[in-house]
Amino acid sequence: MSGARTEKHTEKQKERQAGRTAAGSGTGRPRRTGPADGRVERGNRTRRLVLDHTMDVASVEGLEGLSLGRIATELRLSKSGVFALFGSKEELQLATVRAAVDVYVAHVVRPARELPPGPERVWALCRNWLAYSANRVFPGGCFFHGVSAEFDARGGPVHDAIAEARTEWVSYVERALNAARRAGGLAADTDVPQVAFEIIALMEAANAQSVLHGEAVAYQRAGRAVLRRLRDVATHPGALPEEPGEIGEIGEIGEIGEIGGPGEIGGPGTA
């Protein structure tokens, strides 16, 4: 990794860590102080440090590249301390998937939540996704695109956690499309599952092309194709831009750490 890319990625890690700290610093009951409280806080900091590292490793090498011993060595932690936090390689993998869901939601989902239902909101979600991949929030591109290929033909809890996260994302996009249709922004006969399948496939194709070949233009091409598909079913196509513009971070990144798991990507019945 070049010096510039390393510096950029270090900033991404700091952003994720700062988001988690902000999310966990509520103004509820005063915190107790003392040795036990200090140990808990140190454990939480270590857990965040480990998960920031394991998400980056897994996005490039896959979840099978993780081990308690390796992570302890690379972060200069005791293996017994890492074991006390996670217990097993599988639990480390599951915790990494859950942490990646938090990051995904903060970068892709939450910035578009306040927009009113309509095709513009669907496009905002898509632009956020393209920016999340293009800006290498994870060094290997979209975390879930990579680990899905790794575990798609396997069984077990890690496969199930990845599959659940992807299912929740597809469902969230479908709910956003359905909300746009109910609001009159999409044609009444819009085949929502088909449109969701197509726009997600276009975005993931851009991710794969860019990661493999280092071609940023793939995101522009995907953006144009997504916009074209949305305009095909929009009742007022002119409300959508003709061109995607520069693909970069869109909107304010939400706080990380508020999402409990893949099932909460959109919240019950929300879009």
Side-chain angles (χ1 to χ4, degrees):
M1 187 179 290
S2 70
R5 290 182 63 191
T6 300
E7 182 178 346
K8 180 179 179 180
H9 188 60
T10 300
E11 290 303 314
K12 295 294 180 185
Q13 289 181 315
K14 289 179 180 177
E15 182 180 86
R16 295 199 300 244
Q17 291 165 352
R20 290 195 184 94
T21 300
S25 59
T27 57
R29 279 186 269 175
R31 292 183 177 180
R32 291 181 300 169
T33 59
D37 188 66
R39 286 195 296 271
V40 170
E41 180 56 32
R42 286 195 297 274
N44 289 338
R45 285 199 303 267
T46 301
R47 185 179 180 88
R48 290 193 294 268
L49 175 68
V50 168
L51 292 176
D52 272 321
H53 186 61
T54 58
M55 286 188 289
D56 291 344
V57 171
S59 78
V60 175
E61 301 179 29
L63 288 162
E64 282 299 314
L66 304 180
S67 72
L68 299 176
R70 173 187 176 173
I71 299 306
T73 298
E74 291 179 348
L75 295 179
R76 299 182 180 180
L77 301 170
S78 70
K79 185 175 180 180
S80 61
V82 176
F83 182 83
L85 288 171
F86 299 100
S88 68
K89 175 176 178 174
E90 181 176 87
E91 180 49 42
L92 179 64
Q93 292 171 324
L94 290 169
T96 300
V97 172
R98 291 191 291 267
V101 169
D102 288 354
V103 174
Y104 187 98
V105 170
H107 283 265
V108 178
V109 176
R110 195 169 293 126
R113 273 186 177 165
E114 300 306 315
L115 296 175
E120 297 91 341
R121 183 168 179 234
V122 178
W123 167 236
L125 274 175
C126 295
R127 279 203 72 187
N128 290 348
W129 194 100
L130 293 169
Y132 144 84
S133 175
N135 290 329
R136 297 295 187 262
V137 171
F138 298 112
C142 177
F143 178 93
F144 292 97
H145 186 267
V147 299
S148 295
E150 182 186 10
F151 276 85
D152 57 3
R154 305 186 190 187
V158 179
H159 165 277
D160 294 347
I162 295 166
E164 183 179 359
R166 288 185 63 92
T167 297
E168 284 293 329
W169 167 238
V170 173
S171 297
Y172 189 84
V173 175
E174 290 180 353
R175 291 198 298 272
L177 287 163
N178 271 318
R181 182 174 59 178
R182 290 193 300 270
L186 300 182
D189 62 350
T190 299
D191 186 341
V192 164
Q194 181 65 31
V195 175
F197 179 89
E198 291 179 26
I199 62 179
I200 290 171
L202 287 165
M203 294 188 295
E204 291 187 346
N207 176 83
Q209 183 81 1
S210 175
V211 172
L212 184 61
H213 298 289
E215 294 179 359
V217 71
Y219 296 107
Q220 294 293 322
R221 290 171 177 158
R224 290 189 193 102
V226 168
L227 281 169
R228 188 177 303 118
R229 188 67 183 97
L230 290 176
R231 283 196 298 269
D232 285 344
V233 294
T235 53
H236 301 288
L240 290 165
E242 289 290 331
E243 290 290 327
E246 183 178 353
I247 299 298
E249 290 183 358
I250 309 302
E252 181 179 354
I253 301 304
E255 290 180 349
I256 299 170
E258 297 174 0
I259 303 300
E264 298 184 31
I265 282 181
T270 65

